[in-house]
Amino acid sequence: MNKSCGVLALSTVLALGASQAQALSLAASAGSNSFGLEATQTLVPGVRAGVGYLKTDDSGRDARLYSGSLMISLPTPLVDLSVGGRYQYQDTDYGNGGGLGLGASLFVDTPLPRVSLGGYGFYTPEGLTHGNVNESYEYGAQVRAKLFAQSYAYAGYRYLRTDFDRRGNRTLDSGPVLGVSVGF
């Protein structure tokens, strides 16, 4: 847990204290058995750092997930594409541990004004984990409606599964999610 706190503290300092910071976004999401918070900060154009927290008991067991991420937006003409890494520490009834996941997100505008559609995914392979976590993956799909500059509401689906030592594969969260992200 001390390692994860150190990673989150470092990510927070980088995200919120960067001298070239341009845009801060705060997001909140909720599912039937979960809720999450996330803060992201632009460090330099095209590079964002973030910290997040997700609490879920979708599996019938309590799970708290802490994360720190660094994502790079790739300049593409028709899609909003980002790739990067995310360290996630999982404090669950199945075991504790974490790892570095590699991931991406892709969103495209729809014919409906101010509406985009897309998804994201992160995969944490066994070689990049520690503690009771052997492997983990999370993916989701979202429909976003832009509310005003740098702010949007979204509805979607999230699936999060982890393979724990001696406990096997466990689905920590799955199902519909509603959320809002506000940019400053």
Side-chain angles (χ1 to χ4, degrees), residues 48-120:
R48 293 183 66 81
V51 294
Y53 171 77
L54 175 67
K55 182 178 184 329
T56 178
D57 63 358
D58 190 45
S59 66
R61 302 282 185 101
D62 189 41
R64 291 164 307 282
L65 292 78
Y66 309 88
S67 62
S69 63
L70 187 64
M71 301 296 288
I72 299 169
S73 296
L74 301 175
T76 55
L78 300 175
V79 298
D80 178 10
L81 175 64
S82 294
V83 297
R86 175 183 75 179
Y87 173 82
Q88 184 177 72
Y89 183 82
Q90 300 182 3
D91 179 9
T92 76
D93 290 342
Y94 301 113
N96 302 322
L100 179 62
L102 307 174
S105 68
L106 181 125
F107 286 86
V108 296
D109 289 332
T110 67
L112 299 172
R114 304 170 69 86
V115 175
S116 62
L117 176 66
Y120 67 93

Side-chain angles (χ1 to χ4, degrees), residues 10-182:
L10 178 60
S11 297
T12 302
V13 168
L14 288 174
L16 300 177
S19 62
Q20 297 179 350
Q22 296 175 6
L24 171 68
S25 294
L26 301 174
S29 64
S32 61
N33 295 304
S34 67
F35 73 88
L37 301 170
E38 184 177 23
T40 60
Q41 176 72 53
T42 299
L43 300 177
V44 295
V47 179
R48 293 183 66 81
V51 294
Y53 171 77
L54 175 67
K55 182 178 184 329
T56 178
D57 63 358
D58 190 45
S59 66
R61 302 282 185 101
D62 189 41
R64 291 164 307 282
L65 292 78
Y66 309 88
S67 62
S69 63
L70 187 64
M71 301 296 288
I72 299 169
S73 296
L74 301 175
T76 55
L78 300 175
V79 298
D80 178 10
L81 175 64
S82 294
V83 297
R86 175 183 75 179
Y87 173 82
Q88 184 177 72
Y89 183 82
Q90 300 182 3
D91 179 9
T92 76
D93 290 342
Y94 301 113
N96 302 322
L100 179 62
L102 307 174
S105 68
L106 181 125
F107 286 86
V108 296
D109 289 332
T110 67
L112 299 172
R114 304 170 69 86
V115 175
S116 62
L117 176 66
Y120 67 93
F122 283 94
Y123 173 66
T124 305
E126 188 170 347
L128 298 176
T129 63
H130 64 87
N132 299 117
V133 173
N134 290 330
E135 173 184 55
S136 181
Y137 56 92
E138 177 181 351
Y139 58 83
Q142 295 178 352
V143 174
R144 294 178 173 178
K146 189 172 186 175
L147 302 172
F148 47 90
Q150 300 179 13
S151 298
Y152 59 88
Y154 63 91
Y157 178 85
R158 174 175 48 224
Y159 185 80
L160 173 61
R161 188 167 180 91
T162 300
D163 179 20
F164 292 96
D165 284 341
R166 297 177 299 280
R167 300 306 285 271
N169 284 310
R170 303 294 178 174
T171 301
L172 299 178
D173 193 43
S174 67
V177 177
L178 297 174
V180 64
S181 177
V182 178

